[in-house]
Amino acid sequence: MPAWCVTYLFASISHTQSVLYELSKLEVQISAKENLQTTLYDIYGLLPAYGSGIALALFLAFAFAAILTNGYSQRRFLLPFAGMTALLTLLVSLQPIMGITLIAGARSATGLLLQCLAGFCGGGVFWYLLARQQKRYG
């Protein structure tokens, strides 16, 4: 759950900021208050669809990575990449199915990189909590 929370918040916020940045390049004036309101609205509004998609993608990626790396001492390096791959796979697979990129903040290379970085951070959180639990319980 913490890994999903970090991933979702980072992905949602970076999506919103990418879209607002593109609007500002079109000389649309966006106040700090509107920026904050839009960010909070998107965190709430994207939750049902994008939040559940991220949860499923992370679950599958972490389960698959855990099976592949069972007993591998350098697991910490692979779990963040599993999170990154989960987000990349989710975003890339949605495009052919829906015919559009549903997450507008991922339409540019920078936006897609930020979404993948969100998955990487979530994978890092997952590894940290897993390592802490293994240390505690052996």
Side-chain angles (χ1 to χ4, degrees):
M1 187 60 113
W4 169 82
C5 190
V6 166
T7 303
Y8 175 71
L9 287 174
F10 190 143
S12 177
I13 292 168
S14 65
H15 154 72
T16 304
Q17 295 310 308
S18 294
V19 170
L20 294 178
Y21 173 72
E22 292 299 321
L23 287 172
S24 72
K25 286 180 17 183
L26 297 172
E27 298 183 15
V28 174
Q29 298 296 319
I30 301 165
S31 70
K33 180 181 176 183
E34 290 172 320
N35 188 318
L36 179 60
Q37 287 175 332
T38 304
T39 301
L40 294 174
Y41 179 81
D42 281 353
I43 288 171
Y44 175 74
L46 291 171
L47 187 58
Y50 197 39
S52 60
I54 288 174
L56 178 62
L58 288 178
F59 174 77
L60 293 172
F62 293 156
F64 188 68
I67 290 167
L68 287 179
T69 62
N70 191 19
Y72 181 59
S73 63
Q74 299 302 315
R75 179 183 283 184
R76 68 178 175 263
F77 296 114
L78 297 177
L79 290 173
F81 286 103
M84 182 178 75
T85 304
L87 267 283
L88 180 62
T89 302
L90 175 65
L91 292 167
V92 170
S93 66
L94 285 177
Q95 207 283 329
I97 294 168
M98 303 301 282
I100 59 167
T101 305
L102 294 177
I103 302 301
R107 289 183 183 148
S108 69
T110 303
L112 184 60
L113 180 64
L114 286 171
Q115 296 296 306
C116 290
L117 185 58
F120 187 87
C121 292
V125 168
F126 184 75
W127 166 79
Y128 173 78
L129 294 173
L130 185 65
R132 203 170 104 192
Q133 182 182 25
Q134 287 175 343
K135 190 180 217 182
R136 179 181 288 165
Y137 299 110

